[in-house]
Amino acid sequence: MAAKTGRSKSTPTKENGVRVEEGLSLFKSDKFDADAYVQSKCSINEKDIKELCSYLLDLKKASAEEMRRSVYANYPAFIRTSKEISDLEGELSSIRNLLSTRATLIHGLANGVNIDHDNVSDGSPANGVLNFEDEDNDLSDLEKWAAEFPDQLDALLAERRVDEALAAFDEGEILISQANENHTLTSSLLSSLQFAIAERKQKLADQLAKAACQPSTRGGELRSAITALKRLGDGPRAHTVLLDAHFQRYHYNMQSLRPSSTSYGGGAYTAALSQLVFSAISQASIDSLGIFGKEPAYSSELVTWAIKQTEAFSLLVKRHALASSAAAGGLRAAAECAQIALGHCSLLEARGLSLCPLLLKHFKPIVEQALEANLKRIEENTAAMAAADDWVLTNPPAGSRHASTAFQNKLTSSAHRFNLMVQDFFEDVGPLLSMQLGSKALKGLFRVFNSYVDVLVRALPGSMEEEEANFEGFGNKIVQMAETEAQQLALLANASLLADELLPRAAMKLSPLDQTSHRTDDLRRPSDRQNRNPEQREWKRRLLGTVDKLKDAFCRQHALDLIFTEEGDSHLSADMYINMDGNGDDVDWFPSLIFQELYAKLNRMASLAADMFEGRERFATSLLMRLTETVILWLSGDQSFWDDIEEGPRPLGPLGLRQLYLDMKFVICFASQGRYLSRNLHRGTNEIITKALAAFSATGLDPYSELPEDDWFNEICLDGMERLSGKAKGNNGEVHSPTASVSAQSVSSARSHGSY
């Protein structure tokens, strides 16, 4: 295995070497032209330059993102390591001082023992007493000061005269240093003096630390104590005491906060606690910078301490304010609490402390839980309303704040409920924006709307998706059926008005621009204001795509009702055209019954849609267009129909060809008159006529010799539309339609080319 790996690694190396040699051979040539080579490499077009710039920008963004991730991933470890190094340096310094003191003391004791031993061996007891008395008489001023100095320090410490004590320590250390250089003090006395100073320094440091951590200690007193502690030579301890003092102070003040008290709601408790915690962190940062400067070790300890306090704060807010709101689906209450905390925390950024991402890490899941619970409540309430909805369009309920725009908001009861709950959902979206939850809110609302559209699809009788949808979406299997065409059009009115106007208008509150220009935007058309945010434009496009699902189900159902009977037989079979040439009876030329019913159905729906889709005629037109396309495309793609026409036992005769041509001409005429003639419809009728002409030509006959002139078809189609719609003719016997001439020209052109 190792040998195989070695071969796999060495092979690319050799190949790379060969490639390098080949690349260098160009430069070794005597005919190498450096200017021409550089020019060839620089002759790139503008498109290549743009692609290269785009690639470099993407690479820069990726590098910056990788650097940011690396910093965030390793920053806690860096802070922890810096703190440990600082602590170790302090401990090493203390150990060094202690060892030095102990060594001096031992050295002094050893010298003292030798001196005493020499004195005892050389003189008598009487002489020893005389020597001590002479020594006492011969004490210098420095020795007297050394003997009295510890007592002076004790007095200063007892009277808490800190500044004088610090000055005395400095004076003592200077004199000790001089005495050590000049040998003016004995080793024992020098060691004793050093030990006394170190002991009093420790005592003063303990006094200062204890006083600093008292809640009653004011800011100026605290800074003086920490400065004094630092002057004593223990900077790490002084900084730790400073941070602990600020913690003790705000922790003491927190005792007056009672989250369960009626005087504090979730927002009030969060505001009060935020004020205490983040003010303490801010003041600690100011004190640390003022006393210790920007030394990395102290800055790292400050950041670590601030993170710890912020995490403790977030746990308190989650426990006492956010958890209950989120569980109950109180999105606004939970988001307000989070926003209050983030607002106080953001003030620390001026001090170089960016703690908002840490708060977001703790608060975001809770607010997301509240968001999901709120969306779930919208689903369940709307599903309950849909179970009893009569699918009749009405104005908003009396007393609703949206009643002033009732002429725009005719919906059924379940859609009204859905709209009102969505408006409440977006009533206060500032906290969602600050927590970067705007996109999640839009995705959640799209999911809820998609589920509501599934309910509307299930309300269509005989929907193919009914059985599948019973196990999805809202989870409510009981849906009131929309039996009549008016009720079924009301389903589409619900979905189209919500997706095209009401929901995008409500979602505009998620745009930061809306916070400053909301009043001005109210005067604009919704479509104008919704075009500002690309994300919301894409969201609206997805909403309208969901409405297409309902539109397709509606058109499919009505197309199948036209084509098939309740027993499953087809109203649109090949026999209805093939048998026309075998019965020998005179033919009363008129469009086939199924296309008469299609025209009548479209007229009824157009009349209903004129009232239901007022101001949104484009949607009504697209619906009728889609229904007509569904019938024609089904006929064009029905393989069994064309198998019978092309390969059946009896061929398609002249009369059948004329009837099929007349039916397609009739569809084009009434679609043109109703303004819902589309490219797909043109394409579908073209394919049907082309297939019919090809099938007739296969019998050896000329199809164009059997078809009358275009005027004949036009007259029958216009007469059929007049009789079916009940409209009177004009003086010239034609229905007044601005599209009739266009239709006639299109038929003539198609016939002349052999297709339509």
Side-chain angles (χ1 to χ4, degrees):
M1 184 65 182
K4 183 178 181 180
T5 304
R7 289 192 299 271
S8 64
K9 291 183 178 179
S10 62
T11 301
T13 302
K14 294 179 179 178
E15 293 177 355
N16 291 337
V18 173
R19 293 196 195 101
V20 172
E21 289 295 330
E22 292 176 354
L24 292 177
S25 62
L26 174 65
F27 302 99
K28 296 178 180 179
S29 174
D30 295 335
K31 298 181 180 180
F32 174 70
D33 187 350
D35 294 336
Y37 177 80
V38 173
Q39 187 65 26
S40 66
K41 295 301 180 181
C42 294
S43 60
I44 57 177
N45 55 31
E46 183 180 356
K47 180 180 179 182
D48 294 335
I49 293 175
K50 289 182 178 180
E51 291 179 354
L52 180 59
C53 292
S54 176
Y55 170 74
L56 291 176
L57 288 175
D58 293 341
L59 191 63
K60 179 180 178 182
K61 292 179 181 178
S63 176
E65 180 66 18
E66 183 65 25
M67 174 65 73
R68 185 185 65 82
R69 292 178 181 174
S70 178
V71 169
Y72 283 152
N74 299 317
Y75 191 63
F78 169 74
I79 292 176
R80 184 172 60 255
T81 304
S82 299
K83 181 65 168 58
E84 292 175 355
I85 292 173
S86 178
D87 293 341
L88 286 174
E89 288 178 350
E91 292 177 0
L92 288 173
S93 178
S94 299
I95 292 172
R96 187 183 298 110
N97 294 335
L98 183 61
L99 291 175
S100 177
T101 302
R102 294 294 185 272
T104 303
L105 179 60
I106 293 172
H107 183 68
L109 290 174
N111 292 338
V113 170
N114 292 332
I115 293 172
D116 291 342
H117 181 270
D118 293 339
N119 290 334
V120 171
S121 60
D122 293 340
S124 61
N127 293 335
V129 174
L130 290 175
N131 289 339
F132 284 130
E133 290 178 356
D134 293 340
E135 183 179 354
D136 184 63
N137 292 332
D138 295 337
L139 286 177
S140 64
D141 294 338
L142 181 59
E143 293 173 335
K144 292 179 180 179
W145 172 86
E148 297 173 356
F149 186 65
D151 295 333
Q152 294 176 5
L153 291 177
D154 290 337
L156 293 175
L157 296 181
E159 297 173 6
R160 298 188 182 277
R161 294 153 63 181
V162 177
D163 292 337
E164 295 181 27
L166 292 173
F169 286 134
D170 293 339
E171 180 185 1
E173 290 178 349
I174 293 173
L175 292 175
I176 289 175
S177 178
Q178 294 175 352
N180 193 24
E181 293 177 359
N182 301 328
H183 303 286
T184 54
L185 289 177
T186 62
S187 298
S188 59
L189 187 57
L190 192 61
S191 300
S192 177
L193 185 58
Q194 289 177 335
F195 181 76
I197 291 176
E199 185 179 19
R200 270 83 178 165
K201 274 189 174 183
Q202 185 64 41
K203 183 177 180 181
L204 178 58
D206 294 340
Q207 288 181 357
L208 292 172
K210 183 177 180 181
C213 293
Q214 294 298 321
S216 59
T217 304
R218 301 298 178 184
E221 298 173 350
L222 173 61
R223 286 187 288 274
S224 298
I226 298 303
T227 302
L229 192 57
K230 181 187 176 186
R231 287 181 58 186
L232 289 174
D234 197 353
R237 183 187 183 189
H239 194 262
T240 302
V241 170
L242 172 65
L243 300 180
D244 189 55
H246 282 287
F247 167 75
Q248 295 295 339
R249 184 186 300 177
Y250 88 74
H251 193 267
Y252 175 81
N253 293 331
M254 279 175 51
Q255 297 177 6
S256 60
L257 297 181
R258 294 292 184 269
S260 59
S261 173
T262 56
S263 61
Y264 282 97
Y269 172 76
T270 303
L273 187 61
S274 300
Q275 178 68 27
L276 287 176
V277 174
F278 294 114
S279 294
I281 294 176
S282 177
Q283 189 59 49
S285 175
I286 295 173
D287 293 343
S288 176
L289 182 62
I291 298 173
F292 298 93
K294 297 182 179 180
E295 190 171 340
Y298 299 130
S299 299
S300 298
E301 185 180 14
L302 173 66
V303 172
T304 304
W305 177 82
I307 290 175
K308 181 179 179 181
Q309 306 313 312
T310 303
E311 289 180 340
F313 161 80
S314 63
L315 292 176
L316 287 175
V317 173
K318 284 167 61 176
R319 183 184 308 126
H320 298 301
L322 287 180
S324 57
S325 299
L331 175 61
R332 186 180 306 175
E336 282 180 352
C337 290
Q339 187 183 35
I340 290 171
L342 289 170
H344 283 85
C345 184
S346 63
L347 299 177
L348 295 176
E349 294 181 0
R351 304 290 176 191
L353 294 173
S354 181
L355 299 174
C356 288
L358 182 62
L359 282 185
L360 282 174
K361 176 184 175 182
H362 289 279
F363 290 165
K364 205 169 183 178
I366 301 295
V367 179
E368 287 177 350
Q369 179 185 349
L371 176 64
E372 292 297 330
N374 208 280
L375 293 172
K376 187 67 176 178
R377 186 171 67 246
I378 296 177
E379 287 188 5
E380 294 173 349
N381 289 344
T382 309
M385 293 293 294
D389 200 332
D390 56 3
W391 308 119
V392 176
L393 298 179
T394 60
N395 292 329
S400 169
R401 61 177 176 273
H402 306 288
S404 60
T405 57
F407 68 94
Q408 297 178 347
N409 295 0
K410 275 193 172 184
L411 301 168
T412 67
S413 59
S414 63
H416 275 307
R417 182 61 177 168
F418 183 86
N419 181 43
L420 290 174
M421 295 188 73
V422 169
Q423 300 297 328
D424 290 337
F425 175 79
F426 284 116
E427 192 63 29
D428 186 8
V429 296
L432 295 179
L433 289 174
S434 63
M435 300 190 68
Q436 303 172 0
L437 287 175
S439 297
K440 190 173 185 66
L442 289 178
K443 291 178 182 178
L445 189 58
F446 171 78
R447 186 180 68 250
V448 174
F449 177 73
N450 186 60
S451 298
Y452 180 59
V453 171
D454 287 341
V455 170
L456 299 181
V457 171
R458 296 209 307 269
L460 292 172
S463 172
M464 296 176 63
E465 297 181 7
E466 180 178 357
E467 294 299 326
E468 298 176 1
N470 280 340
F471 301 98
E472 300 176 357
F474 285 76
N476 192 333
K477 300 180 182 180
I478 303 174
V479 179
Q480 186 73 22
M481 286 293 131
E483 302 291 346
T484 66
E485 290 179 351
Q487 289 177 320
Q488 293 166 14
L489 285 173
L491 302 177
L492 288 158
N494 284 343
S496 64
L497 183 58
L498 287 170
D500 194 38
E501 294 186 22
L502 299 181
L503 296 184
R505 184 188 307 162
M508 283 180 58
K509 297 176 183 178
L510 282 174
S511 173
L513 296 176
D514 187 73
Q515 305 301 317
T516 58
S517 58
H518 180 69
R519 293 184 179 179
T520 304
D521 286 343
D522 287 341
L523 303 177
R524 303 181 184 175
R525 290 180 58 84
S527 59
D528 296 334
R529 290 180 278 129
Q530 292 156 9
N531 289 330
R532 296 182 307 173
N533 192 322
E535 182 182 11
Q536 292 184 10
R537 288 202 303 270
E538 175 63 19
W539 184 69
K540 180 179 177 179
R541 188 190 64 78
R542 294 182 63 200
L543 292 178
L544 294 176
T546 302
V547 177
D548 286 341
K549 177 173 58 176
L550 176 62
K551 188 189 296 184
D552 290 340
F554 173 88
C555 294
R556 181 172 59 248
Q557 175 209 327
H558 283 275
L560 294 177
D561 288 344
L562 285 171
I563 296 171
F564 294 100
T565 65
E566 294 182 356
E567 292 78 16
D569 297 329
S570 176
H571 289 302
L572 188 58
S573 63
D575 291 339
M576 61 185 285
Y577 296 107
I578 294 175
N579 294 337
M580 291 184 66
D581 290 275
N583 53 25
D585 298 332
D586 292 336
V587 179
D588 183 14
W589 292 107
F590 204 70
S592 300
L593 181 61
I594 183 174
F595 294 104
Q596 296 178 37
E597 293 179 354
L598 174 61
Y599 177 65
K601 181 184 285 288
L602 292 171
N603 277 348
R604 290 195 307 271
M605 289 187 177
S607 178
L608 293 171
D611 296 330
M612 292 184 176
F613 299 94
E614 183 178 359
R616 291 178 290 122
E617 291 79 6
R618 185 175 180 180
F619 179 84
T621 301
S622 69
L623 177 64
L624 300 179
M625 184 186 300
R626 184 77 64 88
L627 177 55
T628 310
E629 290 173 359
T630 303
V631 175
I632 295 301
L633 294 178
W634 187 92
L635 176 59
S636 176
D638 185 6
Q639 192 60 41
S640 62
F641 177 90
W642 294 107
D643 287 344
D644 293 339
I645 291 289
E646 297 169 352
E647 303 174 0
R650 287 183 298 171
L652 179 67
L655 298 181
L657 175 63
R658 183 183 302 186
Q659 182 64 51
L660 182 57
Y661 196 99
L662 175 62
D663 290 340
M664 295 302 100
K665 172 65 174 65
F666 180 63
V667 171
I668 294 297
C669 283
F670 69 66
S672 298
Q673 185 186 51
R675 309 284 186 179
Y676 43 86
L677 182 61
S678 67
R679 292 181 180 179
N680 288 335
L681 187 58
H682 261 303
R683 188 182 303 111
T685 53
N686 281 343
E687 291 178 357
I688 292 172
I689 291 176
T690 301
K691 290 180 179 179
L693 293 175
F696 187 81
S697 299
T699 62
L701 300 176
D702 181 14
Y704 300 104
S705 64
E706 301 295 335
L707 294 175
E709 297 296 328
D710 289 340
D711 293 341
W712 184 86
F713 288 104
N714 291 338
E715 183 178 356
I716 293 178
C717 291
L718 295 175
D719 180 65
M721 287 189 291
E722 175 197 349
R723 291 165 56 183
L724 292 173
S725 62
K727 295 180 180 178
K729 289 184 179 180
N731 294 333
N732 59 358
E734 296 182 358
V735 178
H736 294 292
S737 172
T739 58
S741 60
V742 176
S743 176
Q745 293 175 5
S746 64
V747 173
S748 176
S749 175
R751 292 188 61 207
S752 65
H753 289 83
S755 63
Y756 185 45

